[in-house]
Amino acid sequence: MQLNNVFKSLLLAGTLFLSCKEDKKVEEKKAELDKPNIIYILADDLGYAELGVYGQEKIETPNIDLLAKEGMMFTQHYSSAPVCAPARYMMLTGKHAGHAYIRSNSEWRERGAVWDYRAMAKDSTLEGQGPMPKNTVTLAHKLKDVGYTTGIVGKWGLGAPHTHSVPNDMGFDFFYGFNCQRQAHTYYPLHLYKNRERVHLANDTIAPNTKLEKGADSNDPKSYANYTLTDYAPDLMFHEITNFVANNKEKPFYLYWATPIPHVALQAPKRWVDYYEKKFGDEEPYLGEIGYFPHKNPHAAYAAMVSYLDENIGKLVRQLKDEGIYDNTLIVFTSDNGPSYAGGADPKFFESAKPFRGEHGRGKGYLYEGGIRVPMIASWPNKIKGGTKSDLPSAHYDMLATFAEITGFETPEVSDGISMLPTMIGRKDQQKHDFMYWEFPSYGGQVAIRMGDWKVVRQNLSNEKPATLELYDLKNDPTEENEVASEHPEIIQKAADIYERERQTPELEHFKIPLIENGLIAENND
């Protein structure tokens, strides 16, 4: 009798245990289903106004424009830096440039012939950029902690092969694309990487900056045959994107699509180039005077790259809908910095940064609005109201905090971003930045600070020319034409106080800015 009661008690306890276990599984599954998939698309050198929805009149981007129509368009979103590597680092770590380890492109030249394309092909230890510290915590790490499968397809640029700073050691379950930014200067490379291993492609060795053959007719399409080879890297990358989505649709995933487009060289699918040749008509060939590869129809080729990217974004959205996961997917589209002026790119022709200026000195590489103001669109069905706009000042380094609030992970102790989620979903509790900070040791050495509508810009901090001290009222002078520093010493002092409080001395010597490190900037502030 007693044994029977004991047996019943054990059976009941076991049943309750199994029931609790099953309930826990159900709750865990429900939590997974509540977490959206996140696709973060980072274009490369795409200007603020190179999308139709941002005012572009020559390049057609119907699929990206549709994302804006179905989601929210941000009009005051910024890159964290005016060039590739630091912008990507700050997005992944949530740090502004005053706290960042990576503050410019870092080609790690002491290894040897890092700019020799053929040498890199033979010796993988010459590839890649300088690594992040081993203890770096990235957005991908944090998303993995809360159950996400993480993938990056495209361009890395934050640590060379054979170092601890490759994507698979920095929080990503899957990687396919260019490890090295310099290798990405051709869209027909000799190899890409799949996770840690090289994938060799059926392309000839045509090194970046190869000019037309001597005596070639620049008006003859046959003269440019060497620059269109067999395996087009963006095609291969998009194939891996579709596979990643198909293979991971049952659980929440984070896909960082770091497309190299439209960074020059000018190489695009022929059908798109032909389309824009008909649209634009005859044009002057680009002969490679400012690097990369020549092209018979440079404007057509540049527009073709952007429209090709737009076409693939449309295909990805269609796949998400076909897989039944579109409604539970947040898509963020943006760019890593302002437009380039090299390699045949023509920001004046396309008005790439309109209303800002995107030419040399104002676009990529510079802390004026044309160099750091970038498009950003967020689409999330039933969460973000379609056809909305926001003028919330925000930056790449806000994405970590935003995704933390969406998915439930804790932000790292050192984090400079704010969550943009309240704005995205129409809540009234949106925090705002008291200031935004940029520091860039290259292109002469620069610092910029935005406080409300005021923006301080300092240039020539590397002893090459007299240092500048500039102040602009972005509300009344968004294109930064009227410098008013002498009229507002109180604003300059406020910026100086922020600078003194927020800036940490760079750990790496080549990111230090001479006038700053020598203490002369304080003298210039007087």
Side-chain angles (χ1 to χ4, degrees):
M1 185 78 169
Q2 287 181 331
L3 286 173
N4 193 39
N5 289 336
V6 170
F7 178 76
K8 287 181 178 179
S9 298
L10 288 172
L11 183 62
L12 178 61
T15 302
L16 289 171
F17 174 76
L18 290 172
S19 177
C20 290
K21 194 173 181 181
E22 288 302 315
D23 288 345
K24 187 177 181 182
K25 282 183 178 180
V26 169
E27 287 300 315
E28 288 175 352
K29 189 66 178 176
K30 184 177 181 299
E32 284 180 1
L33 292 173
D34 287 343
K35 290 186 172 108
N37 306 307
I38 299 172
I39 299 177
Y40 186 79
I41 306 172
L42 187 70
D44 196 334
D45 292 359
L46 185 82
Y48 180 78
E50 289 187 330
L51 304 174
V53 72
Y54 279 85
Q56 177 56 221
E57 296 177 355
K58 295 183 173 75
I59 305 172
E60 299 171 24
T61 57
N63 294 294
I64 300 172
D65 297 346
L66 185 58
L67 283 180
K69 184 177 179 180
E70 296 179 347
M72 179 174 286
M73 173 181 162
F74 289 80
T75 60
Q76 297 198 61
H77 191 65
Y78 289 92
S79 171
S80 302
V83 298
C84 292
R88 293 155 200 267
Y89 170 84
M90 293 176 221
M91 183 276 291
L92 286 172
T93 61
K95 297 179 181 181
H96 66 51
H99 297 148
Y101 181 83
I102 304 292
R103 303 193 188 188
S104 183
N105 288 336
S106 178
E107 304 306 336
W108 209 2
R109 293 173 182 268
E110 55 268 34
R111 291 174 295 169
V114 298
W115 281 99
D116 186 324
Y117 185 76
R118 290 176 177 82
M120 282 192 290
K122 295 176 182 177
D123 182 359
S124 59
T125 66
L126 295 175
E127 284 187 85
Q129 283 60 51
M132 299 182 282
K134 197 168 188 176
N135 62 351
T136 300
V137 176
T138 71
L139 170 60
H141 285 126
K142 303 302 288 185
L143 286 168
K144 279 178 65 68
D145 288 345
V146 291
Y148 276 73
T149 300
T150 57
I152 169 175
V153 176
K155 188 170 86 172
W156 177 238
L158 291 172
H162 318 298
T163 72
H164 59 267
S165 190
V166 295
N168 298 98
D169 288 331
M170 284 294 165
F172 289 96
D173 296 306
F174 177 77
F175 167 57
Y176 184 86
F178 292 105
N179 171 285
C180 177
Q181 292 177 171
R182 300 183 307 277
Q183 291 277 344
H185 288 184
T186 174
Y187 287 98
Y188 293 96
L190 294 173
H191 64 268
L192 295 170
Y193 276 83
K194 191 166 189 175
N195 296 318
R196 303 173 192 273
E197 304 298 325
R198 280 184 174 184
V199 177
H200 296 279
L201 308 182
N203 293 326
D204 293 330
T205 306
I206 308 296
N209 305 312
T210 299
K211 302 292 193 295
L212 290 176
E213 293 181 4
K214 190 173 182 179
D217 180 359
S218 62
N219 291 310
D220 185 352
K222 294 179 182 177
S223 299
Y224 301 85
N226 285 341
Y227 311 117
T228 301
L229 303 173
T230 303
D231 287 339
Y232 187 53
D235 280 345
L236 303 175
M237 292 173 187
F238 189 69
H239 176 72
E240 294 295 339
I241 285 169
T242 60
N243 284 345
F244 181 85
V245 171
N247 293 336
N248 294 287
K249 63 186 177 183
E250 300 299 331
K251 294 182 67 176
F253 64 79
Y254 169 64
L255 172 61
Y256 171 26
W257 182 1
T259 173
I261 292 174
H263 192 299
V264 287
L266 295 172
Q267 294 170 311
K270 185 177 185 302
R271 57 190 170 82
W272 273 113
V273 177
D274 290 346
Y275 176 83
Y276 279 106
E277 283 183 12
K278 291 178 182 177
K279 183 174 180 176
F280 296 159
D282 292 336
E283 53 176 303
E284 194 71 25
Y286 169 65
L287 301 180
E289 306 94 328
I290 319 178
Y292 302 92
F293 294 130
H295 202 285
K296 182 178 179 298
N297 298 89
H299 294 153
Y302 188 86
M305 287 200 291
V306 177
S307 286
Y308 165 80
L309 172 62
D310 177 82
E311 177 184 41
N312 280 343
I313 289 172
K315 290 179 181 178
L316 177 59
V317 169
R318 171 48 56 197
Q319 180 186 4
L320 295 170
K321 290 179 178 178
D322 290 345
E323 302 281 12
I325 57 175
Y326 178 69
D327 287 349
N328 193 38
T329 299
L330 167 63
I331 300 174
V332 176
F333 177 91
T334 187
S335 177
D336 65 345
N337 47 250
S340 176
Y341 42 81
D346 190 348
K348 286 188 176 180
F349 175 80
F350 290 108
E351 296 184 282
S352 297
K354 186 174 62 175
F356 318 112
R357 289 161 55 189
E359 71 273 17
H360 184 264
R362 286 281 180 157
K364 178 180 178 179
Y366 294 89
L367 295 180
Y368 294 109
E369 296 294 286
I372 55 176
R373 183 90 69 104
V374 291
M376 179 186 156
I377 295 164
S379 172
W380 189 5
N382 305 314
K383 297 289 194 302
I384 296 176
K385 185 178 179 181
T388 51
K389 286 186 181 181
S390 172
D391 62 359
L392 175 73
S394 56
H396 287 163
Y397 58 80
D398 291 323
M399 299 319 302
L400 187 142
T402 303
F403 295 156
E405 185 173 4
I406 291 170
T407 65
F409 68 76
E410 291 187 11
T411 57
E413 187 174 334
V414 179
S415 179
D416 297 309
I418 58 172
S419 172
M420 300 164 63
L421 180 63
T423 292
M424 288 180 177
I425 62 176
R427 287 194 341 229
K428 303 297 184 184
D429 58 338
Q430 178 65 61
Q431 290 182 295
K432 294 185 178 181
H433 286 289
D434 293 329
F435 66 90
M436 302 177 77
Y437 183 98
W438 296 268
E439 178 178 318
F440 187 51
S442 305
Y443 292 65
Q446 306 165 58
V447 170
I449 299 172
R450 177 172 172 172
M451 306 150 290
D453 290 320
W454 292 108
K455 183 180 171 190
V456 172
V457 178
R458 303 218 62 183
Q459 293 193 89
N460 306 329
L461 300 176
S462 295
N463 288 324
E464 296 171 1
K465 299 177 183 177
T468 71
L469 177 57
E470 307 162 48
L471 177 64
Y472 300 98
D473 175 3
L474 295 180
K475 182 176 181 180
N476 298 305
D477 178 28
T479 57
E480 300 164 297
E481 303 294 338
N482 303 305
E483 196 284 301
V484 294
S486 62
E487 300 172 25
H488 297 278
E490 76 286 359
I491 302 298
I492 297 299
Q493 184 58 54
K494 183 179 178 181
D497 293 343
I498 290 170
Y499 164 82
E500 291 292 337
R501 183 178 74 245
E502 290 295 322
R503 184 186 190 258
Q504 296 174 347
T505 302
E507 294 182 51
L508 297 176
E509 191 66 31
H510 56 280
F511 291 152
K512 294 181 178 179
I513 301 176
L515 280 179
I516 296 177
E517 315 310 336
N518 294 336
L520 298 179
I521 192 169
E523 180 180 316
N524 289 339
N525 275 333
D526 290 338

